[in-house]
Amino acid sequence: MFPMIFRRGLVGAMLLASLASLPAAAQTEKALLNVSYDPTRELYADFNNAFSKYWKEKTGEVVKISQSHGGSGKQARTIIDGLEADVATLALAYDIDEIAERSGKLPKDWQTRLPNNSSPYTSTIVFLVRKGNPKGIKDWNDLAKPGVSVITPNPKTSGGARWNYLAAWGYALKTNGGDEAKAKEFLAAIFKNVPVLDSGARGSTTTFVQRGLGDVLLAWENEGFLSINEFGPDKFEVVVPSLSILAEPPVTLVDEVAKKHGTTDVAKAYLDYLYSPEGQKLAAKHYYRPRKPELADPADNARFPNVTLFTIDDVFGGWQKAQKTHFADGGTFDEIYQPK
Amino acid sequence: MAAAASRRVLPGFGLTLGYTVGYLSLIVLIPLSAALIKTFSLSWEHFWQIVTAPRVVASYKLSFGTSLLAAAINSVFGLMLAWSLVRYSFPGKRIIDALVDLPFALPTAVAGIALTAIYAGNGWIGQFTEPLGLKIAFTPIGILIALVFIGLPFVVRTVQPVLQDLEAEYEEAAASLGANRWQTFTRVVFPLLLPALLTGFALAFARAVGEYGSVIFIAGNLPMISEITPLIIITKLEQYDYVGATAVATVMLFVSFALLLVINGLQAWTSRRMGRAR
């Protein structure tokens, strides 16, 4: 344990040292900083290795990639406040929109620059329930029933929770013929069943898994799989609702920073590599749905259950609009807790 | 001459004052005024609308209410702890003395997670209280417990030295003059301890109002019920509402400052009454 910590500290120190001596070594060695959100930690640890190897073979250049993880909104804020990220890979487009809007470090049309809305992999929202599904939870309407305890993070602070909220809203619209008032009532009924609002997705997972609170956790599909892997299929199972949202975690180059660092070409190649067979394979391995499943390992693909997905653009007219209607101060989420 | 008459041990009053003001500005005043200046970009109506929103007002009540209550609880039990540490000797006393400081040293997030694990429905203590209908974790009671935990050392450490200086002769004199134990405590010992106790109360209170790390894990964070004001500020930041966040922070700052001023005034008044004017 001790030597391990020591070694990590040493690696950290060496990383810092290498960052500090960056200008001198710029010719032979490049450094990239990828600022990402919480549950991509394992994916990018793997992907960075693969990319460094690929880049070395292709150009002979050594590229050192550092990762930073945290809540998506918080990460966006640190970039706005000056963290020099060459690429940003966040949970939702709204956060990158805000970086473009507030810092001007990338153009506002950033999302059109890469294929598939700049999201090389997708995910969705599923239910994690306790083994045997004692409350018989099958679909979104079961979450609104009295006596069911639902765990989700706070949509005001968590990107994942916004996807949860919008998925439930989309289901309610569809089952009520597009009636917005009914959808709000439905969401209010669900949130009446929420005993704790953690600030982030990992916090909610802890509440559900470790504290034993709640009958069902609304989670990213990849988080659900990771929880089962870690705590055993004898404890939890994933329930897939009849309808859910297509969560598109987008990636982008932060133009101004990359230009300043002289890393534009390698940063672009890094993002393109996410769309390559190797990148798609790694995404699927880490429980993200690849955009081109034919490139991924069929065994990995088989783990993703079939589910009808709708997009945020179809139902809500994009993130800017969804954010304003639902999550801004005075939006539908606030009204659930303080009815006018 | 006047200068010679009031000769001080360390020379350079000008230097000292300059240093004091400069240091305070750098560490305290400049960051705080940055918050204020950000707030000034709001119109008065808009500011008022933000800081009096029902959710925000509910959080003030919760934050200041639980903080005052936690400081009060700490005053009672901190005094008892300090008393037994000073007046009695027993095996393991030094270990207990050191334990008191632990809440200072522990990262608050660790404290929060540990407390939550213990008081949650499946925790050591929570599993016994919840069948009785007493939910602790994820309710305001949980917040109170976290605040009592982090505030404990303040009262003990401010009362302890005063208690050590308090000669047992006072009590003997009171007894020989015919006072019973209760009278000795309420008329002699307690008034002497009160100024220190108030200082400890103020410190514990101030610490509790600003506490985020430990509370956030145990609070449940439900709007209108268990959302503390620091969480409201963080929530606004997460939504890129920097101005709204500083507006709420400014209100918190002024209320805390006013309350601390009152407590410090009270403390000065009591120590003057005891003839120990500073």
Side-chain angles (χ1 to χ4, degrees):
Chain A
M1 196 63 199
F2 237 100
M4 189 61 204
I5 287 170
F6 177 65
R7 223 179 305 156
R8 273 194 200 161
L10 202 67
V11 169
M14 275 162 28
L15 206 81
L16 273 179
S18 72
L19 279 176
S21 64
L22 193 69
Q27 267 106 16
T28 53
E29 191 177 302
K30 292 203 165 167
L32 275 187
L33 176 60
N34 176 4
V35 172
S36 193
Y37 63 113
D38 250 333
T40 57
R41 206 165 265 137
E42 296 81 7
L43 165 65
Y44 279 109
D46 233 7
F47 178 79
N48 291 347
N49 279 337
F51 177 74
S52 310
K53 226 167 94 192
Y54 158 80
W55 192 249
K56 179 99 202 278
E57 274 166 22
K58 195 178 164 212
T59 64
E61 273 180 339
V62 176
V63 55
K64 277 226 166 88
I65 304 154
S66 315
Q67 296 168 249
S68 161
H69 296 272
S72 188
K74 190 169 66 198
Q75 294 293 77
R77 224 175 51 240
T78 57
I79 296 177
I80 293 169
D81 292 343
L83 180 68
E84 301 208 324
D86 302 274
V87 295
T89 56
L90 296 178
L92 37 97
Y94 178 74
D95 287 329
I96 299 181
D97 280 345
E98 287 296 308
I99 301 175
E101 177 79 27
R102 285 164 193 272
S103 74
K105 284 176 187 162
L106 59 150
K108 284 184 186 166
D109 66 345
W110 62 272
Q111 207 172 2
T112 59
R113 297 192 293 185
L114 286 168
N116 307 107
N117 284 331
S118 292
S119 306
Y121 42 80
T122 66
S123 191
T124 187
I125 301 301
V126 298
F127 308 158
L128 194 68
V129 298
R130 303 197 184 277
K131 185 69 192 172
N133 198 358
K135 294 276 168 102
I137 292 156
K138 295 266 176 292
D139 210 345
W140 292 100
N141 55 347
D142 294 317
L143 306 184
K145 286 178 183 159
V148 173
S149 173
V150 182
I151 306 294
T152 171
N154 189 340
K156 291 234 169 196
T157 48
S158 156
R162 278 178 224 165
W163 289 115
N164 294 348
Y165 187 98
L166 295 177
W169 190 279
Y171 171 87
L173 280 186
K174 183 147 186 228
T175 47
N176 289 304
D179 187 336
E180 299 265 342
K182 283 254 173 66
K184 198 159 112 191
E185 272 170 35
F186 182 72
L187 265 293
I190 291 182
F191 276 90
K192 204 176 240 167
N193 289 339
V194 176
V196 186
L197 282 173
D198 287 290
S199 59
R202 282 273 154 107
S204 282
T205 308
T206 309
T207 299
F208 182 75
V209 172
Q210 317 260 41
R211 308 276 165 269
L213 214 68
D215 302 307
V216 52
L217 170 74
L218 307 188
W220 289 100
E221 185 175 52
N222 61 311
E223 283 275 284
F225 278 119
L226 283 179
S227 302
I228 288 182
N229 270 0
E230 193 162 333
F231 300 99
D234 54 325
K235 291 224 174 75
F236 304 104
E237 49 190 85
V238 166
V239 170
V240 181
S242 65
L243 179 76
S244 196
I245 195 162
L246 178 73
E248 298 181 302
V251 302
T252 186
L253 172 76
V254 185
D255 299 45
E256 295 300 317
V257 177
K259 205 192 282 170
K260 185 176 152 198
H261 290 172
T263 48
T264 307
D265 55 339
V266 55
K268 272 186 174 162
Y270 179 80
L271 296 177
D272 287 339
Y273 197 62
L274 283 166
Y275 291 88
S276 77
E278 186 60 28
Q280 294 287 295
K281 214 172 276 173
L282 285 174
K285 185 182 157 204
H286 291 280
Y287 305 107
Y288 281 93
R289 294 181 180 227
R291 282 292 187 174
K292 296 177 201 137
E294 65 275 14
L295 299 179
D297 188 338
D300 286 341
N301 284 331
R303 299 184 300 192
F304 300 116
N306 275 323
V307 48
T308 316
L309 299 172
F310 60 86
T311 70
I312 185 160
D313 294 329
D314 290 346
V315 178
F316 300 96
W319 264 113
Q320 288 294 341
K321 227 170 143 190
Q323 178 74 23
K324 210 171 279 161
T325 329
H326 297 290
F327 309 122
D329 282 346
T332 64
F333 178 71
D334 278 353
E335 285 173 9
I336 283 176
Y337 279 99
Q338 30 177 294
K340 278 181 189 161
Chain B
M1 305 243 299
S6 65
R7 201 180 151 79
R8 291 172 173 84
V9 180
L10 290 171
F13 170 69
L15 194 70
T16 314
L17 184 69
Y19 169 76
T20 308
V21 172
Y23 187 77
L24 266 183
S25 301
L26 199 66
I27 302 292
V28 180
L29 291 178
I30 291 177
L32 290 188
S33 51
L36 273 183
I37 288 165
K38 193 99 185 170
T39 313
F40 286 144
S41 61
L42 284 168
S43 71
W44 176 251
E45 289 79 31
H46 194 187
F47 171 81
W48 192 246
Q49 192 192 336
I50 292 173
V51 300
T52 59
R55 248 179 88 198
V56 182
V57 171
S59 82
Y60 299 144
K61 284 183 193 155
L62 180 72
S63 266
F64 289 110
T66 49
S67 297
L68 282 171
L69 197 57
I73 293 173
N74 271 329
S75 300
V76 175
F77 290 95
L79 178 62
M80 281 162 51
L81 229 125
W83 183 272
S84 43
L85 283 175
V86 172
R87 286 301 165 92
Y88 306 105
S89 72
F90 48 88
K93 179 174 154 177
R94 274 168 193 278
I95 294 178
I96 292 188
D97 201 19
L99 272 180
V100 169
D101 283 332
L102 264 192
F104 271 153
L106 205 63
T108 52
V110 176
I113 292 170
L115 288 172
T116 313
I118 290 169
Y119 289 104
N122 62 359
W124 289 347
I125 297 179
Q127 60 178 327
F128 299 116
T129 63
E130 247 171 54
L132 304 175
L134 179 64
K135 288 185 73 167
I136 296 176
F138 313 119
T139 69
I141 303 174
I143 301 179
L144 186 65
I145 287 180
L147 295 182
V148 168
F149 176 84
I150 53 138
L152 173 74
F154 292 99
V155 175
V156 178
R157 290 298 178 235
T158 47
V159 172
Q160 212 173 7
V162 180
L163 208 51
Q164 260 154 0
D165 288 346
L166 197 67
E167 306 289 342
E169 279 89 19
Y170 284 112
E171 290 152 60
E172 285 161 15
S176 72
L177 290 171
N180 62 28
R181 284 176 167 198
W182 177 246
Q183 283 169 329
T184 309
F185 180 73
T186 54
R187 299 283 183 80
V188 180
V189 179
F190 187 71
L192 286 170
L193 291 178
L194 192 57
L197 200 57
L198 280 172
T199 306
F201 179 88
L203 287 173
F205 167 74
R207 177 78 170 79
V209 166
E211 178 60 15
Y212 179 76
S214 63
V215 174
I216 220 63
F217 292 97
I218 202 168
N221 308 326
L222 292 179
M224 309 298 287
I225 298 168
S226 50
E227 247 185 344
I228 54 170
T229 311
L231 176 67
I232 297 269
I233 295 172
I234 298 278
T235 306
K236 289 194 182 291
L237 283 178
E238 294 285 318
Q239 297 174 281
Y240 311 104
D241 183 6
Y242 290 60
V243 182
T246 46
V248 176
T250 306
V251 170
M252 237 188 140
L253 219 67
F254 274 105
V255 175
S256 301
F257 189 67
L259 282 171
L260 288 175
L261 218 57
V262 169
I263 297 170
N264 284 348
L266 217 62
Q267 193 248 12
W269 181 66
T270 50
S271 47
R272 250 203 316 281
R273 239 173 52 116
M274 291 314 298
R276 293 207 295 167
R278 287 183 299 173

